[in-house]
Amino acid sequence: MAEEGHKLTLRRLEAPILKFIKVALPTDLERLQKHHDNILKYQHSQQWDRLHQEHINASRTVQQLRANIREMEKLCTRVRAEDTAALERLVKPVRDRASAATQDFLHLHSNPVPQPAPALPPAAQSSSCVSSSYHDDDDGGEDPVSGRQIQLHLPEIPADQSAAESWDNLEEGLKELSGLVTEFSLLVHSQQEKIDSIEDNVNTAAANVEEGTKSLGKLLRFLPSLQYNRGGGLQVGVAAGCRGVAGWSIRRSTGPAGWV
């Protein structure tokens, strides 16, 4: 409870969280998508040097994405547990988008197709095989269907090319990013489970109080039937204002029963 006292409402933290959701993360994801399209183009046309540089640029974007997600995670951990459901609705779209982009990137080399050396120069192959499916770097987004179709037939990067090593570095960064997104998702869900557990405990306590109240009411209806008799026996009555539990009054008997 002491930890919860240092947290804030979602309304207090909504503005900085929205900066990540509406500006920072979408910008990074758009840049990552451009890297993805360029990597498909350069690898398909076997332009290994340009592919190597694109891997490096994509790694920088992935690093920036990880940093922004960590900062957003720090903000979200400051949100009170009772606002977890609203927080989940707020961050879910961009979190799912980041997860999908990461997985799409990781599948780039899931099914590489070794190919013999091309008969045409790489530049010629680029213009004849790729121009119909790809635009220049500054052009609009790629058709996702055609991109996936080409992706399944990407040539394997030769081991002696720098692009092979730069891809290994990029792949490692993408796996860390994927793990970070999953960790962030689990964090939000664990907060929701915590507040659900608290609500269950409160409901159980309320049910116990209600049951206790009913039992006490039955006892109070039964008490007036117990009275002392003048012959010196047991006499128990309900007296308003008397000390004791539930207004019980025990009087001294002069009969043989003595104190009861």
Side-chain angles (χ1 to χ4, degrees):
M1 295 299 293
E3 180 184 355
E4 190 68 18
H6 294 287
K7 295 191 175 184
L8 302 173
T9 62
L10 178 58
R11 186 174 182 179
R12 292 280 301 276
L13 295 171
E14 187 174 8
I17 290 175
L18 284 176
K19 287 183 179 180
F20 286 103
I21 294 174
K22 300 296 185 181
V23 180
L25 292 178
T27 300
D28 292 337
L29 290 172
E30 288 174 7
R31 189 181 296 115
L32 189 65
Q33 183 60 47
K34 288 183 179 180
H35 293 315
H36 180 275
D37 295 342
N38 288 336
I39 287 172
L40 283 174
K41 178 173 64 176
Y42 297 146
Q43 186 165 346
H44 189 267
S45 61
Q46 302 184 35
Q47 299 182 61
W48 306 126
D49 290 340
R50 300 190 70 175
L51 179 63
H52 169 62
Q53 186 59 50
E54 200 64 32
H55 285 164
I56 294 174
N57 294 337
S59 294
R60 292 170 181 164
T61 299
V62 169
Q63 184 178 0
Q64 183 62 46
L65 258 171
R66 294 205 309 265
N68 283 332
I69 290 178
R70 287 194 184 98
E71 290 300 317
M72 187 176 71
E73 184 181 51
K74 290 179 183 178
L75 280 173
C76 291
T77 56
R78 297 176 58 194
V79 176
R80 289 182 177 177
E82 56 263 33
D83 291 333
T84 301
L87 176 64
E88 167 68 11
R89 291 192 296 270
L90 197 63
V91 303
K92 187 178 186 300
V94 72
R95 187 189 63 209
D96 291 348
R97 182 181 171 189
S99 179
T102 304
Q103 295 304 317
D104 195 27
F105 230 127
L106 285 170
H107 291 158
L108 274 174
H109 295 285
S110 58
N111 295 300
V113 179
Q115 292 186 359
L120 296 175
Q125 282 197 350
S126 175
S127 61
S128 61
C129 300
V130 184
S131 59
S132 61
S133 300
Y134 287 98
H135 301 283
D136 292 335
D137 296 357
D138 296 333
D139 287 348
E142 185 65 30
D143 178 12
V145 176
S146 62
R148 292 192 185 97
Q149 291 172 346
I150 295 176
Q151 179 177 320
L152 296 176
H153 300 86
L154 284 177
E156 188 175 13
I157 303 174
D160 59 346
Q161 293 292 330
S162 300
E165 181 180 356
S166 60
W167 166 253
D168 290 340
N169 295 333
L170 173 57
E171 185 179 32
E172 182 179 352
L174 287 166
K175 289 179 179 178
E176 291 179 4
L177 175 60
S178 178
L180 187 61
V181 173
T182 301
E183 179 184 329
F184 177 69
S185 177
L186 293 175
L187 171 68
V188 176
H189 285 297
S190 67
Q191 288 180 324
Q192 182 61 51
E193 290 174 358
K194 185 185 298 183
I195 192 63
D196 289 344
S197 177
I198 293 174
E199 290 177 352
D200 289 342
N201 291 337
V202 170
N203 292 335
T204 301
N208 291 338
V209 170
E210 182 179 357
E211 186 64 27
T213 302
K214 291 180 180 178
S215 299
L216 182 58
K218 293 178 181 178
L219 179 60
L220 291 176
R221 287 194 298 271
F222 173 72
L223 285 178
S225 64
L226 298 179
Q227 299 291 334
Y228 279 119
N229 56 59
R230 293 188 177 184
L234 178 65
Q235 183 179 3
V236 181
V238 179
C242 294
R243 296 180 181 178
V245 180
W248 284 40
S249 173
I250 301 179
R251 300 174 183 174
R252 185 173 183 178
S253 174
T254 57
W259 282 87
V260 179

